[in-house]
Amino acid sequence: LHMPHMDGFEFMGAAAQAGFQGALIIASGQNEDIRRSAELVAQLRRLRVLGAVAKPVQKADLSRLIRMTLYP
């Protein structure tokens, strides 16, 4: 959610405005409540969110979210 030049919320707004059709995985060192809020903001912007994971990101967490997309 904290990135150089643009934060994650600004990125979600730009992605939504551009008509992004992919899916997002939110990765943040912020606490779980903040990550959940970011998920809700993305959903309100009609973006597809696979989930939110804590940093440092664990390979198992990413694999789980990606598998959910491939095998819903």
Short mmCIF file of all heavy atoms in Angstrom, two decimals:
data_model
loop_
_atom_site.label_atom_id
_atom_site.label_comp_id
_atom_site.label_asym_id
_atom_site.label_seq_id
_atom_site.Cartn_x
_atom_site.Cartn_y
_atom_site.Cartn_z
N LEU A 1 0.82 -1.19 0.00
CA LEU A 1 0.00 0.00 0.00
C LEU A 1 0.86 1.25 0.00
O LEU A 1 0.41 2.29 -0.46
CB LEU A 1 -0.94 -0.01 1.21
CG LEU A 1 -1.96 -1.15 1.21
CD1 LEU A 1 -2.76 -1.16 2.51
CD2 LEU A 1 -2.89 -1.08 0.03
N HIS A 2 2.08 1.11 0.51
CA HIS A 2 3.03 2.24 0.45
C HIS A 2 4.01 1.95 -0.66
O HIS A 2 4.76 0.99 -0.60
CB HIS A 2 3.78 2.40 1.78
CG HIS A 2 2.89 2.82 2.90
ND1 HIS A 2 2.44 4.10 3.04
CD2 HIS A 2 2.36 2.14 3.93
CE1 HIS A 2 1.67 4.20 4.10
NE2 HIS A 2 1.59 3.00 4.65
N MET A 3 3.96 2.78 -1.71
CA MET A 3 4.84 2.61 -2.85
C MET A 3 5.38 3.98 -3.23
O MET A 3 4.76 4.99 -2.92
CB MET A 3 4.07 2.02 -4.04
CG MET A 3 3.36 0.71 -3.76
SD MET A 3 2.48 0.02 -5.19
CE MET A 3 1.40 1.35 -5.70
N PRO A 4 6.52 3.99 -3.91
CA PRO A 4 7.03 5.28 -4.37
C PRO A 4 6.14 5.87 -5.47
O PRO A 4 5.60 5.14 -6.29
CB PRO A 4 8.42 4.95 -4.92
CG PRO A 4 8.57 3.48 -4.91
CD PRO A 4 7.40 2.89 -4.19
N HIS A 5 5.97 7.16 -5.45
CA HIS A 5 5.26 7.93 -6.49
C HIS A 5 3.74 7.78 -6.47
O HIS A 5 3.04 8.64 -6.99
CB HIS A 5 5.79 7.61 -7.88
CG HIS A 5 7.27 7.68 -8.00
ND1 HIS A 5 7.98 8.85 -7.89
CD2 HIS A 5 8.19 6.71 -8.19
CE1 HIS A 5 9.26 8.61 -8.03
NE2 HIS A 5 9.42 7.31 -8.20
N MET A 6 3.21 6.69 -5.93
CA MET A 6 1.76 6.46 -5.94
C MET A 6 1.48 5.40 -4.86
O MET A 6 2.14 4.37 -4.83
CB MET A 6 1.34 5.92 -7.31
CG MET A 6 -0.11 5.52 -7.40
SD MET A 6 -0.56 4.72 -8.97
CE MET A 6 -0.25 5.99 -10.15
N ASP A 7 0.50 5.66 -3.99
CA ASP A 7 0.21 4.62 -3.00
C ASP A 7 -0.76 3.60 -3.59
O ASP A 7 -1.27 3.76 -4.70
CB ASP A 7 -0.30 5.21 -1.67
CG ASP A 7 -1.68 5.85 -1.76
OD1 ASP A 7 -2.51 5.41 -2.58
OD2 ASP A 7 -1.93 6.77 -0.97
N GLY A 8 -0.99 2.53 -2.88
CA GLY A 8 -1.83 1.45 -3.37
C GLY A 8 -3.25 1.88 -3.67
O GLY A 8 -3.88 1.38 -4.61
N PHE A 9 -3.78 2.81 -2.88
CA PHE A 9 -5.15 3.28 -3.11
C PHE A 9 -5.23 4.09 -4.40
O PHE A 9 -6.18 3.96 -5.17
CB PHE A 9 -5.65 4.09 -1.90
CG PHE A 9 -5.81 3.23 -0.68
CD1 PHE A 9 -4.83 3.22 0.30
CD2 PHE A 9 -6.92 2.42 -0.52
CE1 PHE A 9 -4.97 2.42 1.43
CE2 PHE A 9 -7.08 1.62 0.60
CZ PHE A 9 -6.09 1.62 1.58
N GLU A 10 -4.20 4.91 -4.65
CA GLU A 10 -4.14 5.65 -5.92
C GLU A 10 -4.01 4.68 -7.10
O GLU A 10 -4.64 4.87 -8.14
CB GLU A 10 -2.98 6.63 -5.92
CG GLU A 10 -3.15 7.78 -4.95
CD GLU A 10 -1.89 8.62 -4.81
OE1 GLU A 10 -0.78 8.05 -4.72
OE2 GLU A 10 -2.04 9.85 -4.80
N PHE A 11 -3.19 3.65 -6.90
CA PHE A 11 -3.03 2.64 -7.95
C PHE A 11 -4.36 1.96 -8.27
O PHE A 11 -4.71 1.79 -9.44
CB PHE A 11 -2.00 1.58 -7.53
CG PHE A 11 -1.93 0.44 -8.50
CD1 PHE A 11 -1.17 0.55 -9.66
CD2 PHE A 11 -2.62 -0.74 -8.27
CE1 PHE A 11 -1.12 -0.49 -10.57
CE2 PHE A 11 -2.57 -1.79 -9.18
CZ PHE A 11 -1.82 -1.66 -10.33
N MET A 12 -5.12 1.61 -7.23
CA MET A 12 -6.41 0.97 -7.47
C MET A 12 -7.36 1.89 -8.24
O MET A 12 -8.08 1.45 -9.13
CB MET A 12 -7.05 0.54 -6.15
CG MET A 12 -6.36 -0.66 -5.52
SD MET A 12 -7.21 -1.25 -4.05
CE MET A 12 -6.40 -0.32 -2.78
N GLY A 13 -7.33 3.17 -7.90
CA GLY A 13 -8.16 4.13 -8.62
C GLY A 13 -7.76 4.22 -10.08
O GLY A 13 -8.61 4.23 -10.97
N ALA A 14 -6.47 4.28 -10.34
CA ALA A 14 -5.98 4.37 -11.72
C ALA A 14 -6.30 3.09 -12.49
O ALA A 14 -6.69 3.15 -13.66
CB ALA A 14 -4.47 4.63 -11.72
N ALA A 15 -6.16 1.95 -11.84
CA ALA A 15 -6.47 0.67 -12.49
C ALA A 15 -7.95 0.60 -12.85
O ALA A 15 -8.31 0.18 -13.95
CB ALA A 15 -6.07 -0.49 -11.59
N ALA A 16 -8.79 0.99 -11.92
CA ALA A 16 -10.24 0.97 -12.17
C ALA A 16 -10.60 1.92 -13.30
O ALA A 16 -11.37 1.57 -14.20
CB ALA A 16 -11.00 1.33 -10.90
N GLN A 17 -10.02 3.11 -13.28
CA GLN A 17 -10.32 4.12 -14.31
C GLN A 17 -9.85 3.64 -15.69
O GLN A 17 -10.48 3.94 -16.70
CB GLN A 17 -9.66 5.44 -13.95
CG GLN A 17 -10.07 6.58 -14.84
CD GLN A 17 -9.55 7.91 -14.33
OE1 GLN A 17 -8.50 7.99 -13.71
NE2 GLN A 17 -10.29 8.96 -14.60
N ALA A 18 -8.76 2.87 -15.71
CA ALA A 18 -8.23 2.36 -16.97
C ALA A 18 -8.99 1.14 -17.46
O ALA A 18 -8.71 0.63 -18.55
CB ALA A 18 -6.75 2.04 -16.81
N GLY A 19 -9.92 0.64 -16.66
CA GLY A 19 -10.68 -0.54 -17.06
C GLY A 19 -9.94 -1.85 -16.88
O GLY A 19 -10.20 -2.82 -17.58
N PHE A 20 -9.01 -1.89 -15.93
CA PHE A 20 -8.22 -3.10 -15.67
C PHE A 20 -9.15 -4.30 -15.46
O PHE A 20 -10.08 -4.24 -14.66
CB PHE A 20 -7.34 -2.87 -14.43
CG PHE A 20 -6.52 -4.05 -14.03
CD1 PHE A 20 -5.49 -4.50 -14.83
CD2 PHE A 20 -6.77 -4.72 -12.84
CE1 PHE A 20 -4.71 -5.59 -14.45
CE2 PHE A 20 -6.00 -5.80 -12.45
CZ PHE A 20 -4.97 -6.24 -13.27
N GLN A 21 -8.90 -5.38 -16.19
CA GLN A 21 -9.74 -6.56 -16.12
C GLN A 21 -9.07 -7.74 -15.40
O GLN A 21 -9.68 -8.80 -15.27
CB GLN A 21 -10.13 -7.00 -17.54
CG GLN A 21 -11.00 -5.99 -18.26
CD GLN A 21 -12.34 -5.79 -17.57
OE1 GLN A 21 -13.05 -6.75 -17.32
NE2 GLN A 21 -12.67 -4.55 -17.27
N GLY A 22 -7.86 -7.55 -14.95
CA GLY A 22 -7.14 -8.63 -14.26
C GLY A 22 -7.57 -8.73 -12.81
O GLY A 22 -8.64 -8.26 -12.42
N ALA A 23 -6.74 -9.36 -12.02
CA ALA A 23 -7.01 -9.55 -10.60
C ALA A 23 -5.84 -9.00 -9.79
O ALA A 23 -4.71 -8.97 -10.25
CB ALA A 23 -7.22 -11.02 -10.29
N LEU A 24 -6.16 -8.55 -8.58
CA LEU A 24 -5.14 -7.99 -7.69
C LEU A 24 -4.88 -8.91 -6.51
O LEU A 24 -5.80 -9.55 -5.99
CB LEU A 24 -5.62 -6.66 -7.11
CG LEU A 24 -5.94 -5.52 -8.06
CD1 LEU A 24 -6.48 -4.33 -7.27
CD2 LEU A 24 -4.70 -5.12 -8.83
N ILE A 25 -3.63 -8.93 -6.09
CA ILE A 25 -3.25 -9.48 -4.79
C ILE A 25 -2.62 -8.32 -4.04
O ILE A 25 -1.67 -7.71 -4.53
CB ILE A 25 -2.26 -10.64 -4.91
CG1 ILE A 25 -2.92 -11.84 -5.60
CG2 ILE A 25 -1.73 -11.03 -3.52
CD1 ILE A 25 -1.98 -12.99 -5.88
N ILE A 26 -3.19 -7.99 -2.90
CA ILE A 26 -2.68 -6.88 -2.11
C ILE A 26 -1.63 -7.43 -1.15
O ILE A 26 -1.91 -8.35 -0.39
CB ILE A 26 -3.83 -6.19 -1.34
CG1 ILE A 26 -4.81 -5.58 -2.34
CG2 ILE A 26 -3.28 -5.14 -0.37
CD1 ILE A 26 -6.11 -5.12 -1.73
N ALA A 27 -0.43 -6.87 -1.22
CA ALA A 27 0.66 -7.26 -0.34
C ALA A 27 1.08 -6.03 0.45
O ALA A 27 1.42 -5.01 -0.13
CB ALA A 27 1.83 -7.81 -1.14
N SER A 28 1.03 -6.14 1.77
CA SER A 28 1.34 -4.98 2.59
C SER A 28 1.88 -5.40 3.95
O SER A 28 1.49 -6.43 4.49
CB SER A 28 0.08 -4.13 2.79
OG SER A 28 0.35 -3.04 3.64
N GLY A 29 2.72 -4.55 4.48
CA GLY A 29 3.22 -4.74 5.83
C GLY A 29 2.29 -4.14 6.88
O GLY A 29 2.53 -4.25 8.07
N GLN A 30 1.21 -3.50 6.41
CA GLN A 30 0.23 -2.93 7.34
C GLN A 30 -0.53 -4.04 8.05
O GLN A 30 -0.54 -5.18 7.59
CB GLN A 30 -0.75 -2.03 6.57
CG GLN A 30 -0.12 -0.85 5.89
CD GLN A 30 0.43 0.14 6.91
OE1 GLN A 30 -0.19 0.42 7.92
NE2 GLN A 30 1.61 0.68 6.63
N ASN A 31 -1.21 -3.70 9.12
CA ASN A 31 -1.92 -4.72 9.88
C ASN A 31 -3.12 -5.26 9.09
O ASN A 31 -3.53 -4.72 8.08
CB ASN A 31 -2.33 -4.21 11.27
CG ASN A 31 -3.40 -3.15 11.22
OD1 ASN A 31 -4.37 -3.26 10.48
ND2 ASN A 31 -3.23 -2.12 12.02
N GLU A 32 -3.68 -6.35 9.59
CA GLU A 32 -4.75 -7.06 8.89
C GLU A 32 -5.97 -6.17 8.63
O GLU A 32 -6.60 -6.26 7.57
CB GLU A 32 -5.17 -8.29 9.68
CG GLU A 32 -6.16 -9.16 8.96
CD GLU A 32 -6.49 -10.44 9.71
OE1 GLU A 32 -5.78 -10.78 10.67
OE2 GLU A 32 -7.46 -11.09 9.31
N ASP A 33 -6.31 -5.30 9.58
CA ASP A 33 -7.46 -4.41 9.39
C ASP A 33 -7.25 -3.48 8.19
O ASP A 33 -8.18 -3.24 7.41
CB ASP A 33 -7.73 -3.58 10.64
CG ASP A 33 -8.26 -4.41 11.80
OD1 ASP A 33 -8.81 -5.51 11.55
OD2 ASP A 33 -8.13 -3.95 12.95
N ILE A 34 -6.05 -2.96 8.04
CA ILE A 34 -5.74 -2.07 6.92
C ILE A 34 -5.78 -2.85 5.61
O ILE A 34 -6.33 -2.37 4.61
CB ILE A 34 -4.36 -1.39 7.10
CG1 ILE A 34 -4.33 -0.56 8.38
CG2 ILE A 34 -3.99 -0.56 5.87
CD1 ILE A 34 -5.25 0.63 8.38
N ARG A 35 -5.21 -4.06 5.61
CA ARG A 35 -5.25 -4.87 4.39
C ARG A 35 -6.69 -5.19 4.01
O ARG A 35 -7.05 -5.13 2.83
CB ARG A 35 -4.43 -6.16 4.57
CG ARG A 35 -2.93 -5.93 4.65
CD ARG A 35 -2.14 -7.21 4.53
NE ARG A 35 -2.51 -8.22 5.50
CZ ARG A 35 -1.96 -8.36 6.70
NH1 ARG A 35 -1.00 -7.53 7.09
NH2 ARG A 35 -2.35 -9.33 7.50
N ARG A 36 -7.52 -5.50 4.98
CA ARG A 36 -8.94 -5.79 4.70
C ARG A 36 -9.64 -4.54 4.15
O ARG A 36 -10.44 -4.63 3.23
CB ARG A 36 -9.63 -6.30 5.97
CG ARG A 36 -11.08 -6.64 5.77
CD ARG A 36 -11.25 -7.83 4.84
NE ARG A 36 -12.67 -8.02 4.57
CZ ARG A 36 -13.20 -8.23 3.38
NH1 ARG A 36 -12.43 -8.32 2.32
NH2 ARG A 36 -14.48 -8.38 3.22
N SER A 37 -9.32 -3.39 4.71
CA SER A 37 -9.90 -2.14 4.20
C SER A 37 -9.49 -1.91 2.75
O SER A 37 -10.31 -1.48 1.93
CB SER A 37 -9.46 -0.95 5.06
OG SER A 37 -9.99 -1.07 6.36
N ALA A 38 -8.24 -2.20 2.43
CA ALA A 38 -7.77 -2.04 1.06
C ALA A 38 -8.52 -2.99 0.12
O ALA A 38 -8.89 -2.60 -0.99
CB ALA A 38 -6.26 -2.30 0.98
N GLU A 39 -8.78 -4.21 0.58
CA GLU A 39 -9.57 -5.14 -0.22
C GLU A 39 -10.97 -4.58 -0.50
O GLU A 39 -11.47 -4.65 -1.63
CB GLU A 39 -9.75 -6.48 0.50
CG GLU A 39 -8.56 -7.40 0.42
CD GLU A 39 -8.90 -8.75 1.02
OE1 GLU A 39 -9.42 -9.61 0.27
OE2 GLU A 39 -8.64 -8.96 2.22
N LEU A 40 -11.58 -4.02 0.53
CA LEU A 40 -12.93 -3.46 0.37
C LEU A 40 -12.94 -2.28 -0.59
O LEU A 40 -13.84 -2.15 -1.41
CB LEU A 40 -13.49 -3.06 1.73
CG LEU A 40 -13.79 -4.21 2.69
CD1 LEU A 40 -14.18 -3.68 4.06
CD2 LEU A 40 -14.87 -5.11 2.13
N VAL A 41 -11.92 -1.43 -0.50
CA VAL A 41 -11.82 -0.29 -1.42
C VAL A 41 -11.70 -0.80 -2.85
O VAL A 41 -12.37 -0.30 -3.76
CB VAL A 41 -10.63 0.63 -1.05
CG1 VAL A 41 -10.32 1.62 -2.16
CG2 VAL A 41 -10.91 1.35 0.26
N ALA A 42 -10.87 -1.79 -3.06
CA ALA A 42 -10.70 -2.35 -4.41
C ALA A 42 -12.01 -2.93 -4.92
O ALA A 42 -12.39 -2.71 -6.08
CB ALA A 42 -9.61 -3.42 -4.40
N GLN A 43 -12.72 -3.64 -4.07
CA GLN A 43 -14.00 -4.22 -4.48
C GLN A 43 -15.02 -3.14 -4.80
O GLN A 43 -15.79 -3.27 -5.75
CB GLN A 43 -14.51 -5.17 -3.40
CG GLN A 43 -13.68 -6.43 -3.28
CD GLN A 43 -13.97 -7.23 -2.03
OE1 GLN A 43 -14.75 -6.82 -1.18
NE2 GLN A 43 -13.32 -8.37 -1.90
N LEU A 44 -15.03 -2.07 -4.02
CA LEU A 44 -15.93 -0.96 -4.30
C LEU A 44 -15.61 -0.30 -5.64
O LEU A 44 -16.50 0.26 -6.29
CB LEU A 44 -15.88 0.08 -3.18
CG LEU A 44 -16.54 -0.35 -1.87
CD1 LEU A 44 -16.22 0.65 -0.76
CD2 LEU A 44 -18.04 -0.52 -2.05
N ARG A 45 -14.37 -0.38 -6.04
CA ARG A 45 -13.97 0.16 -7.35
C ARG A 45 -14.19 -0.86 -8.46
O ARG A 45 -13.75 -0.66 -9.59
CB ARG A 45 -12.50 0.60 -7.31
CG ARG A 45 -12.27 1.79 -6.41
CD ARG A 45 -10.78 2.15 -6.39
NE ARG A 45 -10.51 3.22 -5.49
CZ ARG A 45 -10.45 4.51 -5.83
NH1 ARG A 45 -10.68 4.86 -7.07
NH2 ARG A 45 -10.18 5.42 -4.94
N ARG A 46 -14.82 -1.96 -8.10
CA ARG A 46 -15.16 -3.04 -9.03
C ARG A 46 -13.93 -3.73 -9.60
O ARG A 46 -13.92 -4.18 -10.76
CB ARG A 46 -16.07 -2.55 -10.14
CG ARG A 46 -17.37 -1.97 -9.60
CD ARG A 46 -18.42 -1.90 -10.67
NE ARG A 46 -19.63 -1.23 -10.21
CZ ARG A 46 -20.57 -1.80 -9.45
NH1 ARG A 46 -20.44 -3.03 -9.04
NH2 ARG A 46 -21.64 -1.11 -9.10
N LEU A 47 -12.88 -3.83 -8.76
CA LEU A 47 -11.69 -4.58 -9.13
C LEU A 47 -11.79 -5.98 -8.52
O LEU A 47 -12.35 -6.15 -7.44
CB LEU A 47 -10.43 -3.88 -8.62
CG LEU A 47 -10.13 -2.52 -9.23
CD1 LEU A 47 -9.03 -1.82 -8.46
CD2 LEU A 47 -9.75 -2.66 -10.70
N ARG A 48 -11.26 -6.94 -9.21
CA ARG A 48 -11.25 -8.31 -8.71
C ARG A 48 -10.04 -8.48 -7.78
O ARG A 48 -8.90 -8.23 -8.18
CB ARG A 48 -11.16 -9.29 -9.88
CG ARG A 48 -11.21 -10.72 -9.46
CD ARG A 48 -11.32 -11.61 -10.68
NE ARG A 48 -11.16 -12.99 -10.28
CZ ARG A 48 -10.50 -13.88 -10.97
NH1 ARG A 48 -9.95 -13.56 -12.12
NH2 ARG A 48 -10.40 -15.11 -10.53
N VAL A 49 -10.31 -8.91 -6.56
CA VAL A 49 -9.25 -9.07 -5.57
C VAL A 49 -9.15 -10.54 -5.20
O VAL A 49 -10.13 -11.14 -4.75
CB VAL A 49 -9.52 -8.22 -4.31
CG1 VAL A 49 -8.40 -8.40 -3.29
CG2 VAL A 49 -9.70 -6.76 -4.66
N LEU A 50 -7.98 -11.11 -5.38
CA LEU A 50 -7.77 -12.50 -5.00
C LEU A 50 -7.58 -12.64 -3.50
O LEU A 50 -7.89 -13.66 -2.92
CB LEU A 50 -6.55 -13.09 -5.72
CG LEU A 50 -6.63 -13.09 -7.25
CD1 LEU A 50 -5.37 -13.72 -7.82
CD2 LEU A 50 -7.87 -13.81 -7.73
N GLY A 51 -7.03 -11.61 -2.88
CA GLY A 51 -6.80 -11.62 -1.44
C GLY A 51 -5.74 -10.62 -1.06
O GLY A 51 -5.21 -9.89 -1.90
N ALA A 52 -5.45 -10.60 0.23
CA ALA A 52 -4.42 -9.70 0.76
C ALA A 52 -3.48 -10.52 1.64
O ALA A 52 -3.94 -11.34 2.43
CB ALA A 52 -5.06 -8.57 1.56
N VAL A 53 -2.19 -10.31 1.46
CA VAL A 53 -1.19 -11.05 2.22
C VAL A 53 -0.26 -10.08 2.93
O VAL A 53 -0.05 -8.95 2.50
CB VAL A 53 -0.38 -12.00 1.32
CG1 VAL A 53 -1.26 -13.10 0.74
CG2 VAL A 53 0.32 -11.25 0.19
N ALA A 54 0.29 -10.57 4.02
CA ALA A 54 1.23 -9.77 4.81
C ALA A 54 2.63 -9.87 4.20
O ALA A 54 3.01 -10.89 3.65
CB ALA A 54 1.25 -10.26 6.25
N LYS A 55 3.36 -8.77 4.30
CA LYS A 55 4.78 -8.77 3.94
C LYS A 55 5.59 -9.13 5.18
O LYS A 55 5.20 -8.75 6.27
CB LYS A 55 5.21 -7.39 3.45
CG LYS A 55 4.74 -7.07 2.05
CD LYS A 55 5.33 -5.73 1.65
CE LYS A 55 4.96 -5.35 0.25
NZ LYS A 55 5.52 -4.04 -0.10
N PRO A 56 6.67 -9.83 5.06
CA PRO A 56 7.19 -10.38 3.82
C PRO A 56 6.27 -11.49 3.30
O PRO A 56 5.76 -12.31 4.06
CB PRO A 56 8.57 -10.92 4.18
CG PRO A 56 8.53 -11.17 5.65
CD PRO A 56 7.53 -10.19 6.21
N VAL A 57 6.06 -11.48 2.00
CA VAL A 57 5.12 -12.41 1.36
C VAL A 57 5.73 -13.81 1.37
O VAL A 57 6.89 -14.00 1.02
CB VAL A 57 4.81 -11.96 -0.08
CG1 VAL A 57 3.92 -12.96 -0.78
CG2 VAL A 57 4.19 -10.58 -0.07
N GLN A 58 4.90 -14.76 1.75
CA GLN A 58 5.33 -16.16 1.76
C GLN A 58 4.87 -16.83 0.47
O GLN A 58 3.74 -16.61 0.00
CB GLN A 58 4.72 -16.90 2.96
CG GLN A 58 5.10 -16.29 4.31
CD GLN A 58 6.58 -16.35 4.55
OE1 GLN A 58 7.19 -17.41 4.41
NE2 GLN A 58 7.17 -15.22 4.90
N LYS A 59 5.73 -17.65 -0.09
CA LYS A 59 5.42 -18.34 -1.34
C LYS A 59 4.12 -19.14 -1.22
O LYS A 59 3.31 -19.15 -2.14
CB LYS A 59 6.58 -19.26 -1.72
CG LYS A 59 6.38 -19.98 -3.02
CD LYS A 59 7.58 -20.85 -3.35
CE LYS A 59 7.34 -21.63 -4.62
NZ LYS A 59 8.48 -22.48 -4.94
N ALA A 60 3.91 -19.77 -0.08
CA ALA A 60 2.70 -20.58 0.12
C ALA A 60 1.43 -19.73 0.04
O ALA A 60 0.41 -20.17 -0.50
CB ALA A 60 2.77 -21.31 1.46
N ASP A 61 1.49 -18.51 0.57
CA ASP A 61 0.33 -17.62 0.52
C ASP A 61 0.00 -17.23 -0.92
O ASP A 61 -1.17 -17.25 -1.32
CB ASP A 61 0.56 -16.35 1.35
CG ASP A 61 0.65 -16.63 2.84
OD1 ASP A 61 0.04 -17.63 3.29
OD2 ASP A 61 1.31 -15.85 3.54
N LEU A 62 1.02 -16.87 -1.68
CA LEU A 62 0.78 -16.52 -3.08
C LEU A 62 0.28 -17.72 -3.88
O LEU A 62 -0.65 -17.60 -4.67
CB LEU A 62 2.07 -15.99 -3.73
CG LEU A 62 2.48 -14.58 -3.37
CD1 LEU A 62 3.78 -14.21 -4.08
CD2 LEU A 62 1.40 -13.58 -3.69
N SER A 63 0.86 -18.86 -3.65
CA SER A 63 0.44 -20.07 -4.36
C SER A 63 -1.02 -20.38 -4.09
O SER A 63 -1.78 -20.72 -5.00
CB SER A 63 1.30 -21.27 -3.95
OG SER A 63 2.61 -21.10 -4.37
N ARG A 64 -1.44 -20.23 -2.84
CA ARG A 64 -2.83 -20.50 -2.46
C ARG A 64 -3.77 -19.57 -3.22
O ARG A 64 -4.79 -20.00 -3.77
CB ARG A 64 -3.00 -20.33 -0.95
CG ARG A 64 -4.43 -20.49 -0.45
CD ARG A 64 -4.52 -20.29 1.06
NE ARG A 64 -3.89 -19.08 1.56
CZ ARG A 64 -4.42 -17.86 1.50
NH1 ARG A 64 -5.62 -17.68 0.99
NH2 ARG A 64 -3.78 -16.81 1.97
N LEU A 65 -3.45 -18.28 -3.25
CA LEU A 65 -4.31 -17.32 -3.93
C LEU A 65 -4.36 -17.55 -5.43
O LEU A 65 -5.42 -17.47 -6.04
CB LEU A 65 -3.85 -15.89 -3.63
CG LEU A 65 -4.02 -15.45 -2.18
CD1 LEU A 65 -3.37 -14.09 -1.96
CD2 LEU A 65 -5.48 -15.42 -1.79
N ILE A 66 -3.24 -17.87 -6.02
CA ILE A 66 -3.20 -18.13 -7.46
C ILE A 66 -3.96 -19.41 -7.79
O ILE A 66 -4.72 -19.46 -8.76
CB ILE A 66 -1.75 -18.16 -7.96
CG1 ILE A 66 -1.13 -16.76 -7.85
CG2 ILE A 66 -1.68 -18.70 -9.39
CD1 ILE A 66 0.36 -16.70 -8.05
N ARG A 67 -3.80 -20.45 -6.98
CA ARG A 67 -4.54 -21.70 -7.20
C ARG A 67 -6.05 -21.46 -7.14
O ARG A 67 -6.81 -22.06 -7.89
CB ARG A 67 -4.15 -22.76 -6.17
CG ARG A 67 -2.99 -23.62 -6.62
CD ARG A 67 -2.85 -24.87 -5.76
NE ARG A 67 -2.86 -24.61 -4.33
CZ ARG A 67 -1.78 -24.28 -3.62
NH1 ARG A 67 -0.61 -24.19 -4.19
NH2 ARG A 67 -1.88 -24.07 -2.32
N MET A 68 -6.50 -20.59 -6.24
CA MET A 68 -7.92 -20.28 -6.13
C MET A 68 -8.45 -19.70 -7.44
O MET A 68 -9.61 -19.91 -7.80
CB MET A 68 -8.19 -19.29 -4.99
CG MET A 68 -8.08 -19.91 -3.63
SD MET A 68 -8.23 -18.77 -2.22
CE MET A 68 -9.17 -17.43 -2.83
N THR A 69 -7.61 -18.99 -8.16
CA THR A 69 -8.01 -18.41 -9.43
C THR A 69 -8.09 -19.49 -10.51
O THR A 69 -9.02 -19.52 -11.31
CB THR A 69 -7.00 -17.34 -9.87
OG1 THR A 69 -6.94 -16.34 -8.88
CG2 THR A 69 -7.39 -16.71 -11.18
N LEU A 70 -7.12 -20.37 -10.51
CA LEU A 70 -7.07 -21.41 -11.54
C LEU A 70 -8.10 -22.51 -11.30
O LEU A 70 -8.64 -23.08 -12.24
CB LEU A 70 -5.67 -22.03 -11.57
CG LEU A 70 -4.54 -21.05 -11.91
CD1 LEU A 70 -3.18 -21.75 -11.78
CD2 LEU A 70 -4.72 -20.50 -13.32
N TYR A 71 -8.36 -22.80 -10.02
CA TYR A 71 -9.27 -23.88 -9.66
C TYR A 71 -10.27 -23.39 -8.61
O TYR A 71 -10.17 -23.74 -7.44
CB TYR A 71 -8.49 -25.08 -9.09
CG TYR A 71 -7.31 -25.47 -9.95
CD1 TYR A 71 -6.02 -25.15 -9.58
CD2 TYR A 71 -7.52 -26.18 -11.13
CE1 TYR A 71 -4.94 -25.51 -10.37
CE2 TYR A 71 -6.43 -26.53 -11.92
CZ TYR A 71 -5.16 -26.20 -11.54
OH TYR A 71 -4.09 -26.56 -12.32
N PRO A 72 -11.25 -22.57 -9.03
CA PRO A 72 -12.18 -21.97 -8.06
C PRO A 72 -13.07 -22.94 -7.32
O PRO A 72 -13.37 -23.96 -7.43
CB PRO A 72 -13.03 -21.05 -8.90
CG PRO A 72 -12.66 -21.24 -10.31
CD PRO A 72 -11.51 -22.15 -10.38
#
